[in-house]
Every structure is written in structure tokens, then in C-alpha cells.
């Protein structure tokens, strides 16, 4: 694994396409081929996906001559994992009723202003233009990586908002990938109830000849033609290596118009790979003085990378309180001076609660900001092939 103290140099090497240092790894392991697995007897139980899984064809009759070359063996996981609940049953009763994103008085005041002014027509026109930008067709699947430089920056919340917006406005399938196996919260944010197959599992299953129906049998179905690939089953110590991540992302790209990846925080190795392979990058940062300071330092460092890196990066400032300790707009302008695009996600009581995301409970400013963000990020992803 690269030295964490020199992760900037590792990212720069990845961005410029310089071959990484040779690792102590066999040729077979680098391609997902494990000799130790060949010595094991094939399991009696085959994995049973929820829908549409392919089954091996009928075997060759005994009277038929043996083929000159044996057919390629379909990769199968060693076992079929059991489904696990996203929230343990002993904790399910601790959640309170979801709150509206903004107080009732603010909602009433906003509704009155829209009635007595022409802002409603302007909002409708803006939403229509934004939706048209999100609905543009793609020739190849767009991959959007969301990360942060520290925990608690709202990274998973931003990923969930983006995936939900794309699934709502687009007609092709949308995939959300959790590349943060260390107890990531993306399934909880998206309202998933149970988990079974993970990113590491699918790396040993997915094959080029699979259909979309085959693949979605191993995914968690979400509303609006969206799908989720979890990073773990909530177990401590779950790992995801870069080879497995790359294998899954390359194989799944042709099935989904947009893929949103919820990465680990930097400088994790998988996060660096995801950022280098994505057509657009989103960096979530808390709207605090230390969050702005760290983010500004990262953007200054990115100015030394190829131009498309910072030009294809969007910073999202998230507020966990209604009164941040900084001037958010002034901080956003300072960050924009580096060449990055900056969006502000306003404080929202529903998002701050940390439970499943319900768009109908979001404050109207939050919905509009999330939709604008989704359109901006998608437009940036279209500029890089």
C-alpha cells in the first residue's frame, strides 16, 4: 500500500498515468485469479440472486466426445452470503419520527412570498432548465466520485442527494456504489432495509456477457430505477482492494448511465483510484474554519495537477448548524479563486438528523441546491471522455 505520508505524490502519479511501483503480487492474483480457489471443491450451494441470475447450461452428454478445449469456467463466489439488516433490530426503535427540513413558519412564509410575487414562475423555469441539463444522453456511463478529506463532512449525504437526483430526472438506470466498506452509511441514507452482496463479492461474479437483469440480481433496488451496491454488511474490518474495485467499475460501467461512488476519505487508496478514473469529482467540506482551511490547501495542491483535475472538481460546503461560524459565501468565493467550482448546501434539519433520506421532507432551498449541484457535476462529467 502506498505511503500515507506521500499520498499527494501517489495521486499525481495516478493522474499522469505513470506506472505504479511493482508489487509483490502474482500475475493471476492481479486479474482476480486465485490458484488456491482452484484446489477447492466447488460448493454445492450456488448463489441465488434476487432476480434474473443466470444458471449454467446443461452439461455435455456422456456419449458426446470431449471438447478439445474446455469451456471457460464461470466465476462464482465461494458461498452465498446471508442477508443482514441495515439497522440492527435492537436499535430500530431508537429513531425518532423524521423532521421537516425547515420549520413550519419558514414554509408558510415562503409559500406566501411565492403567491404574491413572480418567483414561482422563475423557479419553474429554472427547474426545467436544470432538469434538461441532467437528462442529456450519454454515450458511455459517467462515473462521479464523492469524497472528503475528513469524516463528518457530509460526503455520504452529498452522494445520496446526487444519486437520488439523477434517478429522479434520468430515464436510464443509475447506480450508487459504496466504496467505503468501513461501516459506511450510504445504505442507511438511501433507505435500504437489508444487504447481501457487496462490492468485493461482485468482483468475483460479474462477467462481460451478463445482462442488466443478471447484474441487478445482486444489487439493492431503490426507487426511480436506481440501484445500490453496498461496500460491506456493517461488519468491522471489511476491506476493499483496488483490484476488486477496478474490476467491478469497469464491468458495470456499460449498464448504467450515471454511477455515483461514495468513496473513503482521502488518502485511502481506493478513493485515489476512484478519483483518477471518474469523469467528475465532488469534494465535500464542512462549513467551518478548519474545514475551509484544509480544503483550500488541498485545492492549492491540485493546481499543480493536470488542468482537468481541478476543472472537473466541485466543492460542496455543508452546514451542520443553522448558524455556521464562518461567512459561508465569502469562504466559497475564496475557494473558487483556485479554479474549482463551489456549491453551498444549506443547513437542513432533515439531513442533519442522519436518517434515511426522504426528498419530500427536504427544505425547498435544499432541494433546489441539490438539483443545481447534480446538473453542474453532470455537465462537468460530460466534458471528459
Amino acid at each position: 500500500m502506498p505511503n500515507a505520508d506521500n499520498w499527494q505524490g501517489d495521486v499525481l502519479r495516478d493522474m499522469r498515468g505513470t506506472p505504479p511501483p511493482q508489487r509483490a503480487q502474482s500475475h493471476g492474483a492481479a486479474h482476480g485469479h486465485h490458484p488456491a480457489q482452484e484446489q477447492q471443491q466447488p460448493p454445492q450451494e450456488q448463489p441465488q440472486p434476487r432476480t434474473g441470475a443466470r444458471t449454467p447450461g446443461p452439461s455435455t452428454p456422456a456419449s458426446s466426445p470431449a471438447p478439445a478445449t474446455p469451456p471457460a469456467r464461470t466465476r462464482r463466489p465461494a458461498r452465498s452470503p446471508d442477508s443482514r439488516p441495515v439497522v440492527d433490530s435492537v436499535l430500530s426503535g431508537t429513531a425518532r419520527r423524521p423532521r421537516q427540513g425547515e420549520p413550519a413558519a419558514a414554509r408558510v412564509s415562503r409559500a406566501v412570498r411565492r403567491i404574491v410575487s413572480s418567483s414561482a414562475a422563475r423557479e419553474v423555469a429554472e427547474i426545467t432548465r436544470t432538469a434538461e441539463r441532467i437528462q442529456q444522453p450519454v454515450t458511455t456511463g459517467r462515473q462521479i466520485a464523492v469524497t472528503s478529506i475528513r469524516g463528518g463532512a457530509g460526503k455520504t449525504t452529498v452522494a445520496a442527494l446526487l444519486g437520488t437526483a439523477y434517478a429522479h430526472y434520468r430515464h436510464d438506470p443509475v447506480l450508487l456504489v459504496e466504496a467505503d466498506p468501513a461501516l459506511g452509511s450510504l445504505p442507511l441514507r438511501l433507505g435500504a432495509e437489508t444487504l447481501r452482496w457487496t462490492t468485493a463479492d461482485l468482483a468475483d461474479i460479474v462477467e462481460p456477457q451478463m445482462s442488466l437483469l443478471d447484474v441487478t440480481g445482486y444489487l439493492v433496488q431503490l426507487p426511480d430505477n436506481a440501484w445500490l451496491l453496498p461496500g460491506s454488511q456493517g461488519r468491522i474490518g471489511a476491506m476493499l482492494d483496488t483490484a476488486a474495485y477496478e474490476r467491478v467499475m469497469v464491468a458495470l460501467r456499460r449498464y448504467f448511465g450515471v454511477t455515483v461512488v461514495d468513496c473513503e476519505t482521502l488518502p485511502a487508496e481506493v478513493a485515489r483510484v476512484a478519483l483518477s478514473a471518474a469523469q467528475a469529482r465532488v469534494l465535500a467540506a464542512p462549513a467551518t474554519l478548519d474545514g475551509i482551511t484544509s480544503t483550500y490547501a488541498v485545492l492549492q495542491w491540485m493546481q499543480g495537477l493536470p488542468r482537468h483535475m481541478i476543472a472537473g472538481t466541485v466543492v460542496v460546503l455543508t452546514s451542520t448548524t443553522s448558524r455556521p461560524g464562518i461567512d459561508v459565501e465569502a469562504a466559497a468565493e475564496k475557494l473558487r479563486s483556485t479554479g474549482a467550482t463551489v456549491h453551498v448546501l444549506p443547513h437542513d434539519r432533515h439531513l442533519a438528523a442522519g436518517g434515511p433520506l426522504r426528498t419530500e421532507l427536504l427544505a425547498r432551498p435544499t432541494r433546489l441546491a441539490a438539483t443545481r449541484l447534480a446538473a453542474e457535476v453532470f455537465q462537468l462529467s460530460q466534458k471528459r471522455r
Side-chain angles (χ1 to χ4, degrees):
M1 182 173 179
N3 185 353
D5 295 332
N6 192 31
W7 67 273
Q8 294 96 334
D10 292 329
V11 178
L12 180 58
R13 182 201 67 212
D14 295 339
M15 299 305 105
R16 291 176 174 169
T18 305
Q22 295 294 327
R23 300 182 183 179
Q25 183 180 27
S26 65
H27 175 77
H31 293 77
H33 179 75
H34 303 279
Q37 293 182 357
E38 292 187 354
Q39 299 174 3
Q40 300 175 356
Q41 295 297 326
Q44 296 298 322
E45 181 186 1
Q46 298 295 336
Q48 298 296 327
R50 292 184 297 105
T51 60
R54 292 186 298 106
T55 56
S59 59
T60 305
S63 58
S64 302
T69 303
R73 186 176 62 180
T74 301
R75 287 183 303 197
R76 295 288 182 177
R79 64 180 182 84
S80 176
D82 297 326
S83 295
R84 292 173 60 91
V86 173
V87 179
D88 194 285
S89 58
V90 301
L91 301 175
S92 58
T94 61
R96 292 181 175 177
R97 182 178 179 180
R99 301 177 69 187
Q100 287 280 350
E102 58 184 345
R107 297 197 303 273
V108 171
S109 175
R110 191 183 309 280
V112 171
R113 291 198 304 270
R114 294 177 72 244
I115 291 174
V116 300
S117 69
S118 60
S119 61
R122 289 196 300 269
E123 280 189 9
V124 171
E126 180 187 356
I127 292 175
T128 301
R129 289 192 299 269
T130 304
E132 290 174 350
R133 295 169 64 191
I134 297 177
Q135 292 169 350
Q136 290 181 2
V138 295
T139 54
T140 56
R142 304 286 89 186
Q143 294 182 5
I144 297 167
V146 184
T147 188
S148 62
I149 58 177
R150 64 181 61 188
K155 168 180 65 69
T156 299
T157 298
V158 172
L161 287 171
L162 287 174
T164 302
Y166 294 135
H168 176 73
Y169 286 105
R170 295 189 61 82
H171 300 293
D172 47 9
V174 173
L175 177 64
L176 292 99
V177 176
E178 184 181 45
D180 186 359
L183 298 180
S185 58
L186 185 61
L188 173 62
R189 273 307 213 186
L190 294 173
E193 296 182 356
T194 59
L195 306 176
R196 189 176 183 186
W197 305 95
T198 66
T199 307
D201 295 329
L202 203 60
D204 295 326
I205 300 172
V206 67
E207 295 176 341
Q209 67 269 29
M210 279 184 168
S211 68
L212 176 62
L213 186 61
D214 294 329
V215 170
T216 55
Y218 296 96
L219 306 177
V220 179
Q221 187 170 10
L222 302 171
D224 293 327
N225 204 27
W227 305 86
L228 165 67
L229 179 57
S232 72
Q233 289 188 325
R235 293 189 177 95
I236 296 177
M239 299 296 292
L240 176 63
D241 60 80
T242 56
Y245 173 80
E246 290 176 336
R247 196 157 57 241
V248 167
M249 296 305 291
V250 170
L252 295 184
R253 181 173 178 176
R254 68 187 183 92
Y255 299 101
F256 300 93
V258 179
T259 299
V260 178
V261 185
D262 180 18
C263 303
E264 296 173 289
T265 57
L266 292 170
E269 186 175 8
V270 173
R272 298 201 311 272
V273 172
L275 290 173
S276 63
Q279 284 78 39
R281 289 153 294 279
V282 178
L283 182 63
T288 60
L289 183 58
D290 59 339
I292 295 297
T293 302
S294 300
T295 303
Y296 185 65
V298 170
L299 294 177
Q300 286 183 311
W301 165 75
M302 289 181 67
Q303 288 179 317
L305 298 177
R307 174 62 185 169
H308 74 268
M309 283 299 298
I310 197 165
T313 299
V314 178
V315 177
V316 181
L317 296 180
T318 60
S319 300
T320 57
T321 63
S322 58
R323 294 180 62 85
I326 62 170
D327 185 335
V328 177
E329 291 301 330
E333 285 300 320
K334 184 65 175 178
L335 296 179
R336 290 189 185 103
S337 67
T338 63
T341 303
V342 181
H343 281 254
V344 176
L345 189 65
H347 172 68
D348 189 288
R349 298 191 308 175
H350 178 62
L351 292 179
L357 174 63
R358 292 175 54 181
T359 55
E360 72 275 12
L361 296 181
L362 293 175
R364 186 169 186 82
T366 305
R367 291 199 299 270
L368 294 175
T371 306
R372 294 189 195 105
L373 172 64
E376 182 80 26
V377 174
F378 182 73
Q379 289 291 105
L380 289 177
S381 73
Q382 289 282 63
K383 295 179 180 180
R384 185 185 177 199
R385 301 299 176 186

